[in-house]
Amino acid sequence: MTSSWRFVAHSEARRRALEFAKQAAAADCSVLIVGPTGAGKDILARDIHQHSRRSKHRLITVNCAALTQTLFESELFGHVRGAYTGATASKRGLAELAAGGSLFLDEIGELPMEAQAKLLRFLADGSFWPVGGSEERSADVRILAATNRDLAAGLDATFRADLFFRLSVFTIVVPPPSPDDLRTLARVLALEMSERYRAPLPAREVTAVGELASGGVYRGNVRELRNAVERYFLVRDPARTPEENWTAACGLDLLAQQLGPAPDAAAAPQLHLRGIEKLDDLLFLKCARETRSARELSRRINRSLPYVYSRLAKLGIKPKDLQCTESLERTSAKVRASLAPYRSSFLQLLKEA
């Protein structure tokens, strides 16, 4: 059993989640982990398994979102030869393969209702029937489940209430990482990427990457942070400062966004939010025009210097351009032009206010 926990927790809410996880690891009940995409639910599930009495046995992950009812049943409980077209040999299910250990059901909220009924019976007594089989089998496994959905809000509509209450014996809510969490996570990821890309980083640069990353906004949480740190290594030039390399990495992300597909009708609900973000960009640029350096801008808006570097990069502005009024005005003009589609929405909002 490993003695360390990989789940990073600096904020009070994440420390509380970690404490609950430690309590859950000492027990042997089902655990439901709830939180936004990329918050680290899978890492916490692995930690719980590795610190439980089942750690000497396997932890097997099942992505419920990728399985239909029939496929889920076959994957989880196995099948016998000839059970369906293409079943040329008998196959043990993941439940049997995880016997003695844990089964992590990721994205449990996406499981079809019919498959939920099969899972419920297995949770009740550990027994199951392989697809096409004539003999009942059993497996002693612990169930860990995770979801980014509010299962309680859809009980018996999209998720069985009886299954929910069997899964949620111990519920842990995982919040998004705080800036302090991001700082530590970025350092860990920097060391990981350094080894993968065979590009050793001096300790001071690892620290700098953590500071720079902590000021960013990551809608995809840890997953998006991982992408940002990896981009840093893709564009890294040892002759440049960490700040310049981070700016280049953020600029690569901006380019990808600009080259992405145009929003369609299905994305309409997000347009108003994008308009607000662009309005915020315009206000940020106004402050930038009234300052002469990134440090001065940082003090003006009361945000960290790494945040300012990240924000400038997303707007395609280099720190040295803060002394170029013409360059800032050109960027401001582009942002103002991009706000045109949202003008009527903003005016309507002001009338309603």
Side-chain angles (χ1 to χ4, degrees):
M1 182 185 300
T2 181
S3 60
S4 62
W5 288 75
R6 298 191 308 133
F7 182 78
V8 174
H10 287 289
S11 63
E12 181 180 349
R14 284 177 72 90
R15 285 200 302 269
R16 186 162 55 247
L18 181 57
E19 287 305 312
F20 283 143
K22 290 179 179 178
Q23 294 173 24
D28 198 41
C29 58
S30 297
V31 178
L32 178 63
I33 306 172
V34 182
T37 298
K41 300 187 294 295
D42 56 336
I43 294 175
L44 197 60
R46 292 191 189 99
D47 279 344
I48 291 173
H49 170 76
Q50 290 169 358
H51 288 78
S52 73
R53 67 173 181 81
R54 297 176 177 270
S55 61
K56 293 181 181 179
H57 299 278
R58 301 175 69 179
L59 168 68
I60 294 182
T61 299
V62 181
N63 182 1
C64 297
L67 302 176
T68 62
Q69 175 201 344
T70 304
L71 190 55
F72 174 82
E73 193 174 355
S74 176
E75 284 292 308
L76 196 63
F77 305 130
H79 61 256
V80 300
R81 181 181 179 183
Y84 52 84
T85 303
T88 57
S90 296
K91 176 185 175 183
R92 295 169 67 196
L94 298 178
E96 279 190 271
L97 295 175
S102 305
L103 200 59
F104 176 42
L105 303 177
D106 197 12
E107 299 188 61
I108 186 71
E110 308 303 322
L111 195 63
M113 289 290 279
E114 298 85 351
Q116 292 177 29
K118 300 285 185 180
L119 178 60
L120 178 64
R121 183 174 183 277
F122 175 64
L123 284 175
D125 58 12
S127 63
F128 61 92
W129 292 78
V131 177
S134 57
E135 291 185 3
E136 188 177 51
R137 300 181 187 178
S138 64
D140 172 29
V141 298
R142 182 191 196 179
I143 299 297
L144 306 173
T147 181
N148 59 11
R149 292 173 53 181
D150 182 1
L151 299 184
L155 292 187
D156 288 332
T158 58
F159 202 84
R160 293 180 63 110
D162 44 9
L163 177 58
F164 172 75
F165 291 117
R166 280 206 176 270
L167 287 172
S168 59
V169 175
F170 208 122
T171 300
I172 302 174
V173 178
V174 179
S178 69
D180 285 341
D181 295 318
L182 292 172
R183 183 179 293 107
T184 300
L185 284 163
R187 291 173 183 170
V188 171
L189 290 169
L191 292 173
E192 178 186 316
M193 298 294 175
S194 175
E195 184 175 346
R196 178 189 298 179
Y197 288 99
R198 298 180 180 178
L201 294 187
R204 63 178 180 278
E205 187 170 358
V206 173
T207 300
V209 169
E211 291 299 323
L212 291 163
S214 68
V217 177
Y218 308 96
R219 294 180 183 176
N221 297 305
V222 181
R223 292 178 188 173
E224 187 176 350
L225 174 65
R226 173 181 289 274
N227 292 342
V229 175
E230 186 160 12
R231 281 196 302 273
Y232 179 89
F233 279 86
L234 293 173
V235 304
R236 179 176 178 267
D237 182 347
R240 296 188 301 209
T241 66
E243 290 78 11
E244 290 170 335
N245 282 321
W246 186 260
T247 299
C250 292
L252 185 62
D253 181 38
L254 178 66
L255 179 61
Q257 293 177 33
Q258 292 173 338
L259 296 178
D264 54 21
Q270 299 297 322
L271 291 179
H272 187 64
L273 177 60
R274 291 175 189 169
I276 293 174
E277 290 172 347
K278 290 184 178 297
L279 184 60
D280 187 52
D281 285 341
L282 197 61
L283 293 173
F284 176 80
L285 285 166
K286 182 178 184 298
C287 292
R289 290 199 306 274
E290 296 170 354
T291 57
R292 304 294 293 175
S293 69
R295 194 169 299 279
E296 186 181 349
L297 178 56
S298 172
R299 287 195 295 268
R300 174 69 179 273
I301 64 176
N302 195 28
R303 298 299 295 268
S304 68
L305 191 59
Y307 171 86
V308 170
Y309 281 126
S310 177
R311 192 74 183 271
L312 289 171
K314 287 185 178 181
L315 290 168
I317 300 172
K318 297 179 180 179
K320 64 181 182 180
D321 289 340
L322 288 173
Q323 299 182 14
C324 179
T325 304
E326 184 179 347
S327 176
L328 291 173
E329 184 53 47
R330 281 198 303 268
T331 304
S332 297
K334 290 179 182 178
V335 174
R336 280 195 294 270
S338 68
L339 274 167
Y342 312 109
R343 186 172 182 274
S344 59
S345 297
F346 286 136
L347 290 174
Q348 182 62 35
L349 186 62
L350 288 171
K351 288 180 182 178
E352 293 174 358

